[in-house]
Amino acid sequence: MRPLALIALALCLAPALASPADTLDAAMAEFWREAGDSDAARQIDRVVRTGGSFDEVYARLAAGRSYAADVPKGELSWQSRIAGGAVLPTTVLVPPGYDPKTKYPVRFFLHGGIARVSIEAPPAAPRRRRLEFSDGYIQVYPSGFIEAPWWSGTQLDNFDRLIARLKRTYNVDENRVHVMGFSDGGTGAFYAGLRHATAWSVLFPFHGSLRVLANPTVGVEGELFLTNLTNVPAYIVNGGRDPLYPVSATEPFIALLERAGAPVRFRPQPDAGHDPSWWPGERGAVDEFERSHARDPLPDRLSWQTERTDRDNRFRWLVIEKLDRSRSSSSMEHFNAIDWNGGKQEVFRHRRPAGRVDLVRDGNVAEVRTSGVGAFTLLLAPSDFDFDRPVQVRVNGRPAFDGPIKKDVRTLLNWAARDHDRTMLFGAALRVEVP
C-alpha cells in the first residue's frame, strides 16, 4: 500500500480508535478551561455530544480540575475591570509552600475608609490595612472606593470573579471561603451575607454596623432583609470605646439577630476603640470559629428574601424566579424592628415588593413557606435527593409537585460552570409554581 494511502487510512481510523473515556476527558478538560466564560456554552455542548452518561460527567465534576504545582505564589497583584472602564486592584497572598494536593481555605479581607479613597488609588491592601493572619490561608484583599463601595452589586460581582479565578488555578476548599472586614469592611461583610451569601462559610464583621446599611444617605444598593443573615454564621466584634459603632449601639441588633435564629457569636471588646488592638488575643478564637463552621453547601433548612429576580435572588439550591405581591403573607414579615431608645425602630426601610421562601427538606420531601413569591426553582443534588424515587414539594401546606425527576447532564454542567464547586452539583432544576 502506498504511504499516502496509509496516512489516509490512519486518519479515518483515528476517531474509532479513541476510547469514549478519552473523548469525554478531553471535552471535560476544555470545559474546565472555559467554565464561566463566554465560550462555556460551546464547551458544554461539546461534553454533551460525547454521549457521556450523567454519572460519568458527575464523577469528573466531583473530582474537579487537575491542579498544577508550578503556579504563582507569594504576593500577587490582580486587577478587575468594572463598568465604566475603572479598574479594581486586588492583592492575593498564596502560601509560599502551596501544595496542589491540599484544599486551601480562602479569607477575603475588606478594608475600611472607602469614602476617603479614590478610584485612582495605588494597588490594593497596603500593609497598614492588613491584620496578621495565621499560615495556611489564601488571602484576598479587594479594594473598595467611593465609586465602588462594599455595599454595591459591583463589588458582589467582583467577589464572584475573584473566587472563580482562584478556583481555576488553586485548589480551594469551597466550603471554607469566608469574608472578614474592619470598619467599612465589617459593614461590607454584613452586606455580603444580606445580599449574596451562597459562597460564604462565615461572616466576620469587625467594628462594622448594620445601622450604616440602614442609612439612606450611604447609597446602599438593593433592599436588605435581616432574616437572610440566618443562613451564615457570623462572628461579630465591636469596641466598648469605639466612638463610631460602640458595643452599646450594636447590642440591639445582636438581640434581634438572635431572636431571628441567626447563628451569631458576639465578642464585645470593652476597652477597644475603633481599632484592632484586640486582634492578637482574639485571633486564635477567630481561626477556631472558622475551622469549626465549614459551609454546608446543601443545607436542609434555608431562608431567602429578595426584591429582585435578575440578581441576588439565589441562596445555594434555591432560586426565587417570580415575585407576586398578591401572595404576600403578613405572618412572614417580621424581625425588622429593634428596641431603640425606649421604643421600636425599623431596621431597614423597604420601598419595593419582595418575596421570601423558607424551606425544610426531609429526604425527597420539601416543605416550603412563601410570601410574595409566584414561582421558585429548586436545584436538586444527587447527593441529597434520590432520583429513583418521586420528589414531593408542598408549598404553604398545599401540594405543588409530586413526581419523578430525571437527571440531566446539561443542567449539571450549566450550574457547574457558574459555581466552580465540587460540593454543590445539581442534577435537575425543578421549577415550582406557588399554588
Side-chain angles (χ1 to χ4, degrees), residues 109-114 116 150-151 180-190 204-210 212 237-238 242 244-245 274-276 278:
F109 186 82
L110 313 183
H111 63 74
I114 61 166
R116 297 191 300 273
W150 301 129
W151 36 85
M180 179 183 292
F182 182 85
S183 189
D184 280 345
T187 302
F190 276 127
F204 289 100
F206 298 156
H207 294 263
S209 173
L210 287 167
V212 169
V237 176
N238 287 86
D242 189 334
L244 299 178
Y245 317 124
H274 195 71
D275 60 72
W278 48 269

PDB file of all heavy atoms in Angstrom, residues 109-114 116 150-151 180-190 204-210 212 237-238 242 244-245 274-276 278:
ATOM      1  N   PHE A 109     -10.537  39.813  52.954  1.00  0.00           N
ATOM      2  CA  PHE A 109     -10.484  40.870  53.969  1.00  0.00           C
ATOM      3  C   PHE A 109     -10.809  42.203  53.306  1.00  0.00           C
ATOM      4  O   PHE A 109     -10.128  42.633  52.359  1.00  0.00           O
ATOM      5  CB  PHE A 109      -9.113  40.934  54.639  1.00  0.00           C
ATOM      6  CG  PHE A 109      -9.072  41.909  55.789  1.00  0.00           C
ATOM      7  CD1 PHE A 109      -9.540  41.534  57.044  1.00  0.00           C
ATOM      8  CD2 PHE A 109      -8.614  43.202  55.604  1.00  0.00           C
ATOM      9  CE1 PHE A 109      -9.526  42.436  58.103  1.00  0.00           C
ATOM     10  CE2 PHE A 109      -8.603  44.109  56.657  1.00  0.00           C
ATOM     11  CZ  PHE A 109      -9.057  43.722  57.917  1.00  0.00           C
ATOM     12  N   LEU A 110     -11.857  42.871  53.812  1.00  0.00           N
ATOM     13  CA  LEU A 110     -12.336  44.134  53.258  1.00  0.00           C
ATOM     14  C   LEU A 110     -11.863  45.278  54.157  1.00  0.00           C
ATOM     15  O   LEU A 110     -12.138  45.278  55.356  1.00  0.00           O
ATOM     16  CB  LEU A 110     -13.872  44.135  53.170  1.00  0.00           C
ATOM     17  CG  LEU A 110     -14.530  42.883  52.569  1.00  0.00           C
ATOM     18  CD1 LEU A 110     -16.043  43.083  52.483  1.00  0.00           C
ATOM     19  CD2 LEU A 110     -13.951  42.548  51.206  1.00  0.00           C
ATOM     20  N   HIS A 111     -11.171  46.231  53.580  1.00  0.00           N
ATOM     21  CA  HIS A 111     -10.602  47.327  54.358  1.00  0.00           C
ATOM     22  C   HIS A 111     -11.667  48.364  54.699  1.00  0.00           C
ATOM     23  O   HIS A 111     -12.785  48.368  54.156  1.00  0.00           O
ATOM     24  CB  HIS A 111      -9.444  47.974  53.595  1.00  0.00           C
ATOM     25  CG  HIS A 111      -9.853  48.611  52.296  1.00  0.00           C
ATOM     26  ND1 HIS A 111     -10.543  49.800  52.223  1.00  0.00           N
ATOM     27  CD2 HIS A 111      -9.671  48.217  50.999  1.00  0.00           C
ATOM     28  CE1 HIS A 111     -10.756  50.126  50.972  1.00  0.00           C
ATOM     29  NE2 HIS A 111     -10.248  49.176  50.187  1.00  0.00           N
ATOM     30  N   GLY A 112     -11.319  49.290  55.573  1.00  0.00           N
ATOM     31  CA  GLY A 112     -12.205  50.389  55.956  1.00  0.00           C
ATOM     32  C   GLY A 112     -11.870  51.652  55.190  1.00  0.00           C
ATOM     33  O   GLY A 112     -10.980  51.687  54.339  1.00  0.00           O
ATOM     34  N   GLY A 113     -12.609  52.719  55.494  1.00  0.00           N
ATOM     35  CA  GLY A 113     -12.306  54.024  54.942  1.00  0.00           C
ATOM     36  C   GLY A 113     -12.536  54.171  53.455  1.00  0.00           C
ATOM     37  O   GLY A 113     -11.786  54.883  52.779  1.00  0.00           O
ATOM     38  N   ILE A 114     -13.580  53.543  52.916  1.00  0.00           N
ATOM     39  CA  ILE A 114     -13.759  53.609  51.462  1.00  0.00           C
ATOM     40  C   ILE A 114     -14.150  54.996  50.984  1.00  0.00           C
ATOM     41  O   ILE A 114     -13.867  55.368  49.846  1.00  0.00           O
ATOM     42  CB  ILE A 114     -14.797  52.580  50.972  1.00  0.00           C
ATOM     43  CG1 ILE A 114     -16.157  52.855  51.596  1.00  0.00           C
ATOM     44  CG2 ILE A 114     -14.345  51.169  51.221  1.00  0.00           C
ATOM     45  CD1 ILE A 114     -17.266  52.108  50.927  1.00  0.00           C
ATOM     46  N   ARG A 116     -12.835  57.716  51.773  1.00  0.00           N
ATOM     47  CA  ARG A 116     -11.661  58.588  51.681  1.00  0.00           C
ATOM     48  C   ARG A 116     -10.675  58.110  50.623  1.00  0.00           C
ATOM     49  O   ARG A 116      -9.557  58.606  50.545  1.00  0.00           O
ATOM     50  CB  ARG A 116     -10.950  58.629  53.035  1.00  0.00           C
ATOM     51  CG  ARG A 116     -11.785  59.214  54.153  1.00  0.00           C
ATOM     52  CD  ARG A 116     -10.945  59.478  55.377  1.00  0.00           C
ATOM     53  NE  ARG A 116     -10.325  58.274  55.902  1.00  0.00           N
ATOM     54  CZ  ARG A 116     -10.913  57.462  56.774  1.00  0.00           C
ATOM     55  NH1 ARG A 116     -12.129  57.732  57.200  1.00  0.00           N
ATOM     56  NH2 ARG A 116     -10.286  56.391  57.219  1.00  0.00           N
ATOM     57  N   TRP A 150     -18.352  48.659  49.251  1.00  0.00           N
ATOM     58  CA  TRP A 150     -18.610  47.239  49.538  1.00  0.00           C
ATOM     59  C   TRP A 150     -20.093  46.906  49.407  1.00  0.00           C
ATOM     60  O   TRP A 150     -20.433  45.751  49.146  1.00  0.00           O
ATOM     61  CB  TRP A 150     -18.139  46.893  50.948  1.00  0.00           C
ATOM     62  CG  TRP A 150     -16.691  47.131  51.208  1.00  0.00           C
ATOM     63  CD1 TRP A 150     -16.150  47.839  52.249  1.00  0.00           C
ATOM     64  CD2 TRP A 150     -15.572  46.648  50.448  1.00  0.00           C
ATOM     65  NE1 TRP A 150     -14.777  47.843  52.179  1.00  0.00           N
ATOM     66  CE2 TRP A 150     -14.396  47.112  51.078  1.00  0.00           C
ATOM     67  CE3 TRP A 150     -15.447  45.878  49.291  1.00  0.00           C
ATOM     68  CZ2 TRP A 150     -13.127  46.828  50.593  1.00  0.00           C
ATOM     69  CZ3 TRP A 150     -14.178  45.596  48.801  1.00  0.00           C
ATOM     70  CH2 TRP A 150     -13.036  46.061  49.448  1.00  0.00           C
ATOM     71  N   TRP A 151     -20.964  47.881  49.600  1.00  0.00           N
ATOM     72  CA  TRP A 151     -22.413  47.628  49.556  1.00  0.00           C
ATOM     73  C   TRP A 151     -22.983  47.936  48.176  1.00  0.00           C
ATOM     74  O   TRP A 151     -23.985  48.633  48.032  1.00  0.00           O
ATOM     75  CB  TRP A 151     -23.131  48.433  50.643  1.00  0.00           C
ATOM     76  CG  TRP A 151     -22.548  49.791  50.904  1.00  0.00           C
ATOM     77  CD1 TRP A 151     -22.814  50.945  50.245  1.00  0.00           C
ATOM     78  CD2 TRP A 151     -21.579  50.106  51.916  1.00  0.00           C
ATOM     79  NE1 TRP A 151     -22.084  51.975  50.765  1.00  0.00           N
ATOM     80  CE2 TRP A 151     -21.313  51.492  51.800  1.00  0.00           C
ATOM     81  CE3 TRP A 151     -20.918  49.378  52.909  1.00  0.00           C
ATOM     82  CZ2 TRP A 151     -20.425  52.154  52.640  1.00  0.00           C
ATOM     83  CZ3 TRP A 151     -20.023  50.029  53.732  1.00  0.00           C
ATOM     84  CH2 TRP A 151     -19.787  51.394  53.599  1.00  0.00           C
ATOM     85  N   MET A 180     -14.180  38.673  55.804  1.00  0.00           N
ATOM     86  CA  MET A 180     -13.840  39.390  57.032  1.00  0.00           C
ATOM     87  C   MET A 180     -13.600  40.842  56.660  1.00  0.00           C
ATOM     88  O   MET A 180     -13.128  41.145  55.561  1.00  0.00           O
ATOM     89  CB  MET A 180     -12.577  38.761  57.637  1.00  0.00           C
ATOM     90  CG  MET A 180     -12.055  39.388  58.901  1.00  0.00           C
ATOM     91  SD  MET A 180     -10.497  38.565  59.439  1.00  0.00           S
ATOM     92  CE  MET A 180     -11.087  36.940  59.896  1.00  0.00           C
ATOM     93  N   GLY A 181     -13.928  41.750  57.562  1.00  0.00           N
ATOM     94  CA  GLY A 181     -13.685  43.154  57.256  1.00  0.00           C
ATOM     95  C   GLY A 181     -13.637  43.998  58.502  1.00  0.00           C
ATOM     96  O   GLY A 181     -14.167  43.621  59.556  1.00  0.00           O
ATOM     97  N   PHE A 182     -12.992  45.168  58.388  1.00  0.00           N
ATOM     98  CA  PHE A 182     -12.862  46.089  59.520  1.00  0.00           C
ATOM     99  C   PHE A 182     -13.495  47.423  59.151  1.00  0.00           C
ATOM    100  O   PHE A 182     -13.284  47.942  58.051  1.00  0.00           O
ATOM    101  CB  PHE A 182     -11.386  46.282  59.881  1.00  0.00           C
ATOM    102  CG  PHE A 182     -11.182  47.183  61.075  1.00  0.00           C
ATOM    103  CD1 PHE A 182     -11.245  46.657  62.355  1.00  0.00           C
ATOM    104  CD2 PHE A 182     -10.968  48.539  60.914  1.00  0.00           C
ATOM    105  CE1 PHE A 182     -11.085  47.481  63.460  1.00  0.00           C
ATOM    106  CE2 PHE A 182     -10.813  49.376  62.005  1.00  0.00           C
ATOM    107  CZ  PHE A 182     -10.868  48.849  63.293  1.00  0.00           C
ATOM    108  N   SER A 183     -14.283  47.985  60.074  1.00  0.00           N
ATOM    109  CA  SER A 183     -14.943  49.276  59.898  1.00  0.00           C
ATOM    110  C   SER A 183     -15.883  49.215  58.690  1.00  0.00           C
ATOM    111  O   SER A 183     -16.794  48.390  58.667  1.00  0.00           O
ATOM    112  CB  SER A 183     -13.912  50.388  59.775  1.00  0.00           C
ATOM    113  OG  SER A 183     -14.528  51.659  59.817  1.00  0.00           O
ATOM    114  N   ASP A 184     -15.659  50.040  57.651  1.00  0.00           N
ATOM    115  CA  ASP A 184     -16.494  49.921  56.459  1.00  0.00           C
ATOM    116  C   ASP A 184     -16.442  48.501  55.904  1.00  0.00           C
ATOM    117  O   ASP A 184     -17.424  47.998  55.349  1.00  0.00           O
ATOM    118  CB  ASP A 184     -16.022  50.905  55.378  1.00  0.00           C
ATOM    119  CG  ASP A 184     -16.509  52.328  55.617  1.00  0.00           C
ATOM    120  OD1 ASP A 184     -17.423  52.512  56.440  1.00  0.00           O
ATOM    121  OD2 ASP A 184     -15.963  53.250  54.983  1.00  0.00           O
ATOM    122  N   GLY A 185     -15.283  47.856  56.016  1.00  0.00           N
ATOM    123  CA  GLY A 185     -15.164  46.472  55.569  1.00  0.00           C
ATOM    124  C   GLY A 185     -16.013  45.520  56.392  1.00  0.00           C
ATOM    125  O   GLY A 185     -16.567  44.552  55.863  1.00  0.00           O
ATOM    126  N   GLY A 186     -16.131  45.778  57.700  1.00  0.00           N
ATOM    127  CA  GLY A 186     -17.020  44.968  58.540  1.00  0.00           C
ATOM    128  C   GLY A 186     -18.471  45.150  58.139  1.00  0.00           C
ATOM    129  O   GLY A 186     -19.244  44.193  58.072  1.00  0.00           O
ATOM    130  N   THR A 187     -18.841  46.388  57.831  1.00  0.00           N
ATOM    131  CA  THR A 187     -20.191  46.657  57.328  1.00  0.00           C
ATOM    132  C   THR A 187     -20.394  45.946  55.990  1.00  0.00           C
ATOM    133  O   THR A 187     -21.465  45.398  55.709  1.00  0.00           O
ATOM    134  CB  THR A 187     -20.405  48.172  57.179  1.00  0.00           C
ATOM    135  OG1 THR A 187     -20.200  48.801  58.448  1.00  0.00           O
ATOM    136  CG2 THR A 187     -21.805  48.481  56.687  1.00  0.00           C
ATOM    137  N   GLY A 188     -19.334  45.934  55.172  1.00  0.00           N
ATOM    138  CA  GLY A 188     -19.409  45.215  53.895  1.00  0.00           C
ATOM    139  C   GLY A 188     -19.579  43.722  54.071  1.00  0.00           C
ATOM    140  O   GLY A 188     -20.252  43.067  53.265  1.00  0.00           O
ATOM    141  N   ALA A 189     -18.985  43.150  55.126  1.00  0.00           N
ATOM    142  CA  ALA A 189     -19.169  41.719  55.396  1.00  0.00           C
ATOM    143  C   ALA A 189     -20.635  41.423  55.719  1.00  0.00           C
ATOM    144  O   ALA A 189     -21.188  40.405  55.274  1.00  0.00           O
ATOM    145  CB  ALA A 189     -18.266  41.278  56.541  1.00  0.00           C
ATOM    146  N   PHE A 190     -21.275  42.304  56.495  1.00  0.00           N
ATOM    147  CA  PHE A 190     -22.715  42.157  56.737  1.00  0.00           C
ATOM    148  C   PHE A 190     -23.481  42.177  55.410  1.00  0.00           C
ATOM    149  O   PHE A 190     -24.359  41.346  55.163  1.00  0.00           O
ATOM    150  CB  PHE A 190     -23.229  43.302  57.617  1.00  0.00           C
ATOM    151  CG  PHE A 190     -23.052  43.110  59.096  1.00  0.00           C
ATOM    152  CD1 PHE A 190     -22.419  44.074  59.857  1.00  0.00           C
ATOM    153  CD2 PHE A 190     -23.538  41.976  59.736  1.00  0.00           C
ATOM    154  CE1 PHE A 190     -22.267  43.926  61.231  1.00  0.00           C
ATOM    155  CE2 PHE A 190     -23.399  41.819  61.108  1.00  0.00           C
ATOM    156  CZ  PHE A 190     -22.753  42.802  61.854  1.00  0.00           C
ATOM    157  N   PHE A 204     -17.284  37.696  59.177  1.00  0.00           N
ATOM    158  CA  PHE A 204     -16.532  38.257  60.300  1.00  0.00           C
ATOM    159  C   PHE A 204     -16.598  39.780  60.238  1.00  0.00           C
ATOM    160  O   PHE A 204     -15.668  40.429  59.754  1.00  0.00           O
ATOM    161  CB  PHE A 204     -15.071  37.795  60.255  1.00  0.00           C
ATOM    162  CG  PHE A 204     -14.851  36.347  60.587  1.00  0.00           C
ATOM    163  CD1 PHE A 204     -14.658  35.418  59.593  1.00  0.00           C
ATOM    164  CD2 PHE A 204     -14.839  35.918  61.911  1.00  0.00           C
ATOM    165  CE1 PHE A 204     -14.438  34.080  59.894  1.00  0.00           C
ATOM    166  CE2 PHE A 204     -14.625  34.579  62.226  1.00  0.00           C
ATOM    167  CZ  PHE A 204     -14.420  33.653  61.216  1.00  0.00           C
ATOM    168  N   PRO A 205     -17.695  40.387  60.700  1.00  0.00           N
ATOM    169  CA  PRO A 205     -17.782  41.850  60.710  1.00  0.00           C
ATOM    170  C   PRO A 205     -17.095  42.407  61.965  1.00  0.00           C
ATOM    171  O   PRO A 205     -17.567  42.204  63.088  1.00  0.00           O
ATOM    172  CB  PRO A 205     -19.294  42.123  60.740  1.00  0.00           C
ATOM    173  CG  PRO A 205     -19.957  40.779  60.556  1.00  0.00           C
ATOM    174  CD  PRO A 205     -18.978  39.768  61.055  1.00  0.00           C
ATOM    175  N   PHE A 206     -15.977  43.100  61.790  1.00  0.00           N
ATOM    176  CA  PHE A 206     -15.240  43.700  62.887  1.00  0.00           C
ATOM    177  C   PHE A 206     -15.439  45.215  62.846  1.00  0.00           C
ATOM    178  O   PHE A 206     -15.118  45.873  61.848  1.00  0.00           O
ATOM    179  CB  PHE A 206     -13.745  43.386  62.776  1.00  0.00           C
ATOM    180  CG  PHE A 206     -13.406  41.911  62.863  1.00  0.00           C
ATOM    181  CD1 PHE A 206     -12.227  41.430  62.303  1.00  0.00           C
ATOM    182  CD2 PHE A 206     -14.251  41.010  63.501  1.00  0.00           C
ATOM    183  CE1 PHE A 206     -11.894  40.084  62.388  1.00  0.00           C
ATOM    184  CE2 PHE A 206     -13.930  39.654  63.578  1.00  0.00           C
ATOM    185  CZ  PHE A 206     -12.748  39.189  63.019  1.00  0.00           C
ATOM    186  N   HIS A 207     -15.998  45.755  63.933  1.00  0.00           N
ATOM    187  CA  HIS A 207     -16.237  47.192  64.057  1.00  0.00           C
ATOM    188  C   HIS A 207     -17.078  47.722  62.891  1.00  0.00           C
ATOM    189  O   HIS A 207     -16.892  48.862  62.444  1.00  0.00           O
ATOM    190  CB  HIS A 207     -14.914  47.960  64.157  1.00  0.00           C
ATOM    191  CG  HIS A 207     -14.144  47.668  65.405  1.00  0.00           C
ATOM    192  ND1 HIS A 207     -14.203  48.463  66.526  1.00  0.00           N
ATOM    193  CD2 HIS A 207     -13.318  46.633  65.711  1.00  0.00           C
ATOM    194  CE1 HIS A 207     -13.423  47.938  67.475  1.00  0.00           C
ATOM    195  NE2 HIS A 207     -12.884  46.818  66.996  1.00  0.00           N
ATOM    196  N   GLY A 208     -18.002  46.890  62.386  1.00  0.00           N
ATOM    197  CA  GLY A 208     -18.939  47.317  61.359  1.00  0.00           C
ATOM    198  C   GLY A 208     -20.272  47.676  61.977  1.00  0.00           C
ATOM    199  O   GLY A 208     -20.445  47.640  63.203  1.00  0.00           O
ATOM    200  N   SER A 209     -21.241  48.023  61.136  1.00  0.00           N
ATOM    201  CA  SER A 209     -22.530  48.462  61.659  1.00  0.00           C
ATOM    202  C   SER A 209     -23.650  48.196  60.669  1.00  0.00           C
ATOM    203  O   SER A 209     -23.590  48.666  59.521  1.00  0.00           O
ATOM    204  CB  SER A 209     -22.482  49.961  61.984  1.00  0.00           C
ATOM    205  OG  SER A 209     -23.770  50.444  62.343  1.00  0.00           O
ATOM    206  N   LEU A 210     -24.671  47.477  61.122  1.00  0.00           N
ATOM    207  CA  LEU A 210     -25.885  47.330  60.318  1.00  0.00           C
ATOM    208  C   LEU A 210     -26.624  48.661  60.191  1.00  0.00           C
ATOM    209  O   LEU A 210     -27.345  48.896  59.225  1.00  0.00           O
ATOM    210  CB  LEU A 210     -26.795  46.273  60.943  1.00  0.00           C
ATOM    211  CG  LEU A 210     -26.334  44.821  60.784  1.00  0.00           C
ATOM    212  CD1 LEU A 210     -27.123  43.899  61.714  1.00  0.00           C
ATOM    213  CD2 LEU A 210     -26.493  44.363  59.343  1.00  0.00           C
ATOM    214  N   VAL A 212     -25.352  51.504  59.591  1.00  0.00           N
ATOM    215  CA  VAL A 212     -24.838  52.226  58.419  1.00  0.00           C
ATOM    216  C   VAL A 212     -25.596  51.797  57.168  1.00  0.00           C
ATOM    217  O   VAL A 212     -25.978  52.620  56.335  1.00  0.00           O
ATOM    218  CB  VAL A 212     -23.325  51.960  58.254  1.00  0.00           C
ATOM    219  CG1 VAL A 212     -22.831  52.468  56.899  1.00  0.00           C
ATOM    220  CG2 VAL A 212     -22.549  52.630  59.377  1.00  0.00           C
ATOM    221  N   VAL A 237     -17.441  41.527  66.194  1.00  0.00           N
ATOM    222  CA  VAL A 237     -16.630  42.208  67.206  1.00  0.00           C
ATOM    223  C   VAL A 237     -16.869  43.706  67.107  1.00  0.00           C
ATOM    224  O   VAL A 237     -16.843  44.283  66.011  1.00  0.00           O
ATOM    225  CB  VAL A 237     -15.128  41.909  67.015  1.00  0.00           C
ATOM    226  CG1 VAL A 237     -14.296  42.708  68.023  1.00  0.00           C
ATOM    227  CG2 VAL A 237     -14.841  40.416  67.157  1.00  0.00           C
ATOM    228  N   ASN A 238     -17.114  44.332  68.264  1.00  0.00           N
ATOM    229  CA  ASN A 238     -17.181  45.791  68.362  1.00  0.00           C
ATOM    230  C   ASN A 238     -16.486  46.229  69.632  1.00  0.00           C
ATOM    231  O   ASN A 238     -16.366  45.457  70.589  1.00  0.00           O
ATOM    232  CB  ASN A 238     -18.620  46.293  68.346  1.00  0.00           C
ATOM    233  CG  ASN A 238     -19.271  46.190  66.988  1.00  0.00           C
ATOM    234  OD1 ASN A 238     -19.813  45.142  66.633  1.00  0.00           O
ATOM    235  ND2 ASN A 238     -19.211  47.255  66.204  1.00  0.00           N
ATOM    236  N   ASP A 242     -15.457  52.499  71.156  1.00  0.00           N
ATOM    237  CA  ASP A 242     -15.489  52.892  69.745  1.00  0.00           C
ATOM    238  C   ASP A 242     -16.399  54.107  69.594  1.00  0.00           C
ATOM    239  O   ASP A 242     -17.597  54.025  69.886  1.00  0.00           O
ATOM    240  CB  ASP A 242     -16.009  51.725  68.904  1.00  0.00           C
ATOM    241  CG  ASP A 242     -15.877  51.968  67.407  1.00  0.00           C
ATOM    242  OD1 ASP A 242     -15.862  53.131  66.983  1.00  0.00           O
ATOM    243  OD2 ASP A 242     -15.798  50.979  66.661  1.00  0.00           O
ATOM    244  N   LEU A 244     -17.499  55.415  66.916  1.00  0.00           N
ATOM    245  CA  LEU A 244     -18.380  55.299  65.755  1.00  0.00           C
ATOM    246  C   LEU A 244     -19.467  54.253  65.965  1.00  0.00           C
ATOM    247  O   LEU A 244     -20.658  54.548  65.826  1.00  0.00           O
ATOM    248  CB  LEU A 244     -17.550  54.957  64.506  1.00  0.00           C
ATOM    249  CG  LEU A 244     -16.499  55.977  64.093  1.00  0.00           C
ATOM    250  CD1 LEU A 244     -15.739  55.484  62.876  1.00  0.00           C
ATOM    251  CD2 LEU A 244     -17.144  57.327  63.808  1.00  0.00           C
ATOM    252  N   TYR A 245     -19.079  53.027  66.254  1.00  0.00           N
ATOM    253  CA  TYR A 245     -20.032  51.922  66.374  1.00  0.00           C
ATOM    254  C   TYR A 245     -19.762  51.159  67.665  1.00  0.00           C
ATOM    255  O   TYR A 245     -19.257  50.030  67.642  1.00  0.00           O
ATOM    256  CB  TYR A 245     -19.919  50.973  65.167  1.00  0.00           C
ATOM    257  CG  TYR A 245     -19.782  51.695  63.846  1.00  0.00           C
ATOM    258  CD1 TYR A 245     -18.704  51.439  63.009  1.00  0.00           C
ATOM    259  CD2 TYR A 245     -20.719  52.646  63.448  1.00  0.00           C
ATOM    260  CE1 TYR A 245     -18.563  52.098  61.800  1.00  0.00           C
ATOM    261  CE2 TYR A 245     -20.579  53.320  62.249  1.00  0.00           C
ATOM    262  CZ  TYR A 245     -19.499  53.047  61.426  1.00  0.00           C
ATOM    263  OH  TYR A 245     -19.362  53.716  60.238  1.00  0.00           O
ATOM    264  N   HIS A 274     -11.965  52.353  68.049  1.00  0.00           N
ATOM    265  CA  HIS A 274     -12.198  51.939  66.653  1.00  0.00           C
ATOM    266  C   HIS A 274     -10.857  51.466  66.082  1.00  0.00           C
ATOM    267  O   HIS A 274     -10.254  52.109  65.209  1.00  0.00           O
ATOM    268  CB  HIS A 274     -12.775  53.101  65.856  1.00  0.00           C
ATOM    269  CG  HIS A 274     -13.380  52.684  64.547  1.00  0.00           C
ATOM    270  ND1 HIS A 274     -14.553  51.968  64.460  1.00  0.00           N
ATOM    271  CD2 HIS A 274     -12.964  52.883  63.260  1.00  0.00           C
ATOM    272  CE1 HIS A 274     -14.842  51.742  63.185  1.00  0.00           C
ATOM    273  NE2 HIS A 274     -13.880  52.279  62.442  1.00  0.00           N
ATOM    274  N   ASP A 275     -10.403  50.352  66.606  1.00  0.00           N
ATOM    275  CA  ASP A 275      -9.074  49.854  66.241  1.00  0.00           C
ATOM    276  C   ASP A 275      -9.019  48.358  66.524  1.00  0.00           C
ATOM    277  O   ASP A 275      -9.816  47.819  67.303  1.00  0.00           O
ATOM    278  CB  ASP A 275      -7.991  50.578  67.045  1.00  0.00           C
ATOM    279  CG  ASP A 275      -8.166  50.364  68.549  1.00  0.00           C
ATOM    280  OD1 ASP A 275      -7.901  49.227  69.026  1.00  0.00           O
ATOM    281  OD2 ASP A 275      -8.577  51.313  69.249  1.00  0.00           O
ATOM    282  N   PRO A 276      -8.065  47.654  65.890  1.00  0.00           N
ATOM    283  CA  PRO A 276      -7.943  46.208  66.094  1.00  0.00           C
ATOM    284  C   PRO A 276      -6.927  45.831  67.170  1.00  0.00           C
ATOM    285  O   PRO A 276      -6.255  44.801  67.056  1.00  0.00           O
ATOM    286  CB  PRO A 276      -7.506  45.719  64.714  1.00  0.00           C
ATOM    287  CG  PRO A 276      -6.659  46.833  64.200  1.00  0.00           C
ATOM    288  CD  PRO A 276      -7.242  48.111  64.759  1.00  0.00           C
ATOM    289  N   TRP A 278      -7.309  44.525  69.861  1.00  0.00           N
ATOM    290  CA  TRP A 278      -7.710  43.264  70.492  1.00  0.00           C
ATOM    291  C   TRP A 278      -7.323  42.046  69.652  1.00  0.00           C
ATOM    292  O   TRP A 278      -7.415  40.909  70.108  1.00  0.00           O
ATOM    293  CB  TRP A 278      -9.234  43.253  70.674  1.00  0.00           C
ATOM    294  CG  TRP A 278      -9.954  43.666  69.418  1.00  0.00           C
ATOM    295  CD1 TRP A 278     -10.327  44.926  69.066  1.00  0.00           C
ATOM    296  CD2 TRP A 278     -10.318  42.830  68.311  1.00  0.00           C
ATOM    297  NE1 TRP A 278     -10.918  44.938  67.820  1.00  0.00           N
ATOM    298  CE2 TRP A 278     -10.927  43.664  67.337  1.00  0.00           C
ATOM    299  CE3 TRP A 278     -10.200  41.470  68.060  1.00  0.00           C
ATOM    300  CZ2 TRP A 278     -11.410  43.170  66.135  1.00  0.00           C
ATOM    301  CZ3 TRP A 278     -10.681  40.970  66.856  1.00  0.00           C
ATOM    302  CH2 TRP A 278     -11.269  41.810  65.906  1.00  0.00           C
TER     303      TRP A 278
END
